[in-house]
Amino acid sequence: MTSGVAALWSARTSLRILVRRDLAVKYQQSVLGYLWSLIEPLGMGLIYWFVFGVLYSGATRRHLGDAAGSYPLFLITGIFAWMWASSALSEATNALTGQARLITTMNLPRQVFPIGRVTGRFAEYVAGLPILVAIAILYATHGRIHPGWNLLALPLAVAVQFVLLMGLALLLSAGNVLMRDIERFMRLIIRVLFYATPIIYPLNLVRDSGMPAWLKIAYELNPLVGIFQLHHAIWYPDEFPDARLLTVSVAGSLLVFAVGWWSFRRLEPAVLKEL
């Protein structure tokens, strides 16, 4: 694994070129271009604000705590991070099948291709941060939020999410070459994960619910739960995950990365033969 990481680092220039190419191809025939990466999460945020912030405002406010007065910021923070995760998983699944000619002709570590998809979607997430900061400044000037040391939760959230997504991308991209049902299966999984992760609702809503204790424990074993708590903690310190939840997210992400890397290397000969 150490030699593989070193080879991947030596190919960082090629990775950067692939990411730029993917972004250019994705938006080359679009009138609004890169703005679509901002319009989509903002549109989703508006819809969920109307449902949970207007229609069901009473139930939402009871569990939001300090975030009740700035629920749109809570929503946008989660949705921006989710768009990175969902897009990365969707595109990384077919990262190998969709670039078979490049993979079989270029002398590069094959991990570059799925990791490039994760990196490209991260670039879109970074492009949306100024919008997120502008909304946060608006609420801060009205005293709805009080940014401070909790802003340091952002690099931690990004780092842990990046590790998790890279591991999943490696695992899914290799598996999809050998079993194409994975791509269709992931469409369902991504929808389920959206509602099984505290993105548009606070974690307290689950913890205070009448669900069985074993189901609550299983829910919090999802590494994304702690990751999105970190994203929300950027503006709301009370949302910072406790030690147990943070450990589960960090350890789970590292485990997924290790399994993804190992599986990719084990499956690589069969993948190249299939491509």
Side-chain angles (χ1 to χ4, degrees):
M1 185 172 181
T2 303
S3 60
V5 172
L8 185 63
W9 175 253
S10 66
R12 61 189 182 278
T13 302
S14 299
L15 175 61
R16 184 166 59 249
I17 293 172
L18 285 172
V19 170
R20 289 178 178 175
R21 185 210 61 170
D22 288 343
L23 290 173
V25 170
K26 185 175 182 179
Y27 298 109
Q28 66 180 354
Q29 294 181 330
S30 174
V31 176
L32 295 178
Y34 205 67
L35 289 176
W36 281 114
S37 64
L38 304 178
I39 293 173
E40 188 175 359
L42 290 174
M44 288 179 61
L46 182 62
I47 293 170
Y48 287 112
W49 170 78
F50 177 73
V51 174
F52 296 104
V54 177
L55 298 183
Y56 296 98
S57 60
T60 303
R61 289 177 180 275
R62 282 198 300 271
H63 295 88
L64 278 173
D66 293 339
S70 54
Y71 183 53
L73 177 61
F74 183 92
L75 271 177
I76 294 299
T77 300
I79 290 175
F80 265 67
W82 171 251
M83 292 302 295
W84 170 24
S86 62
S87 299
L89 292 179
S90 298
E91 296 185 19
T93 302
N94 61 8
L96 301 183
T97 55
Q99 304 180 93
R101 181 171 297 181
L102 281 177
I103 293 168
T104 54
T105 56
M106 295 182 67
N107 184 22
L108 286 174
R110 277 78 187 192
Q111 296 93 329
V112 164
F113 296 93
I115 291 177
R117 295 297 175 88
V118 175
T119 307
R121 303 297 74 77
F122 173 65
E124 294 178 341
Y125 171 74
V126 171
L129 285 180
I131 302 295
L132 190 61
V133 170
I135 297 174
I137 291 174
L138 179 64
Y139 280 109
T141 55
H142 290 81
R144 301 287 183 87
I145 62 171
H146 305 281
W149 288 104
N150 47 307
L151 293 174
L152 295 177
L154 176 59
L156 179 58
V158 167
V160 179
Q161 185 169 335
F162 214 120
V163 170
L164 177 64
L165 292 179
M166 285 194 297
L168 290 173
L170 291 169
L171 183 63
L172 293 171
S173 60
N176 189 56
V177 174
L178 305 176
M179 189 168 59
R180 301 300 172 92
D181 290 340
I182 290 179
E183 185 174 355
R184 297 181 178 89
F185 184 66
M186 281 306 299
R187 296 172 190 167
L188 173 61
I189 293 298
I190 287 173
R191 292 192 185 100
V192 171
L193 282 176
F194 179 76
Y195 294 103
T197 306
I199 299 169
I200 60 175
Y201 59 85
L203 180 59
N204 287 335
L205 187 62
V206 176
R207 288 179 169 175
D208 296 340
S209 69
M211 291 195 309
W214 67 267
L215 189 55
K216 293 180 182 180
I217 294 173
Y219 174 90
E220 295 189 16
L221 288 177
N222 173 11
L224 287 172
V225 172
I227 290 172
F228 278 87
Q229 285 299 101
L230 284 171
H231 281 290
H232 289 309
I234 299 169
W235 317 115
Y236 311 103
D238 291 343
E239 296 295 320
F240 196 91
D242 55 41
R244 179 177 59 84
L245 186 57
L246 184 60
T247 301
V248 167
S249 294
V250 174
S253 298
L254 291 172
L255 177 62
V256 169
F257 178 75
V259 171
W261 188 280
W262 179 83
S263 300
F264 191 94
R265 294 300 298 268
R266 293 280 293 181
L267 295 174
E268 190 172 0
V271 167
L272 292 176
K273 183 178 179 181
E274 187 69 22
L275 292 176

